[in-house]
Amino acid sequence: MRVKATWRGGGQVLAFLILVLASAGFVAGGLSGSGTAAMVFVVLGALGGALFGTGLLSAAGRVFGRRPVLELTAEGVLRPARWPLPRRADRTLPWPEVAAMTALRRGVPGTRRGEQDYLVFLPSAELVELARTAERPKLVALTLTDVPATAEAAAWCFAVEPAWDASLKEIVSQARRRAEIPVIDRRRR
């Protein structure tokens, strides 16, 4: 599953480009003067150029790099490393270790940010039982990395973005073609 290029991603690239150019302007302005103020402009411009240049590369990599966010292979669930990390940093959860998949919804309906669907690959029977029986507020723990009881599930939690090139239903059907694992849909209750 890949994230499609969106206007928001393009806007981020443009915003970082403007900030890099402004930083270059600071450096150019500082180099044309002398004294402490000119030196401060050069230092701030250089720091801004480094910081915003890194942001520009990262934003451009997400938009143009097209690295997948989730891969379902014959071996298991593959979580590719985020760009610019190398692909050798990818992590794989083998199919025999996947006890179940759960779809859940997090957020508050009717608010500005709304609700977000998540797909979680559960690696243990205890987490499967939690996904089946827990109340909705406790299910949020499956998406959080800092909760010790659910940390192993959070590593295999994927926020299903509207910009993905496959829907949640398509992802689940592809996973079920590769391995017969139960699916727990907790988005409604």
Side-chain angles (χ1 to χ4, degrees):
M1 291 3 104
R2 296 180 188 278
V3 177
K4 295 181 274 187
T6 62
W7 286 106
R8 182 173 189 229
Q12 286 178 340
V13 171
L14 182 62
F16 276 116
L17 181 62
I18 290 169
L19 290 170
V20 167
L21 293 175
S23 296
F26 266 67
V27 171
L31 291 176
S32 66
S34 62
T36 306
M39 188 59 118
V40 168
F41 268 74
V42 170
V43 169
L44 287 177
L47 287 173
L51 179 70
F52 300 131
T54 302
L56 175 63
L57 287 175
S58 179
R62 283 191 303 271
V63 171
F64 302 116
R66 304 279 297 143
R67 185 174 283 187
V69 291
L70 166 66
E71 289 184 28
L72 303 174
T73 66
E75 293 81 35
V77 179
L78 177 73
R79 179 172 216 127
R82 292 185 67 119
W83 191 89
L85 294 174
R87 290 300 300 252
R88 68 178 176 270
D90 294 354
R91 294 182 304 182
T92 303
L93 179 65
W95 288 118
E97 293 179 23
V98 178
M101 293 183 289
T102 187
L104 59 102
R105 190 165 283 152
R106 182 174 137 186
V108 180
T111 61
R112 182 172 176 250
R113 290 198 44 124
E115 295 178 312
Q116 173 74 50
D117 286 342
Y118 289 84
L119 179 63
V120 185
F121 293 89
L122 304 170
S124 70
E126 296 83 23
L127 292 171
V128 172
E129 187 61 29
L130 173 74
R132 282 195 176 118
T133 60
E135 296 175 16
R136 186 173 177 200
K138 289 185 180 177
L139 287 177
V140 172
L142 292 173
T143 66
L144 303 174
T145 57
D146 57 348
V147 179
T150 60
E152 66 177 331
W156 300 103
C157 173
F158 298 89
V160 180
E161 300 288 337
W164 277 19
D165 62 357
S167 68
L168 182 60
K169 186 177 181 178
E170 293 169 338
I171 296 167
V172 169
S173 68
Q174 284 183 26
R176 301 228 40 219
R177 270 188 245 133
R178 289 173 172 76
E180 270 306 310
I181 53 177
V183 178
I184 305 163
D185 190 351
R186 292 295 307 272
R187 292 177 293 168
R188 302 274 184 255
R189 51 186 178 110

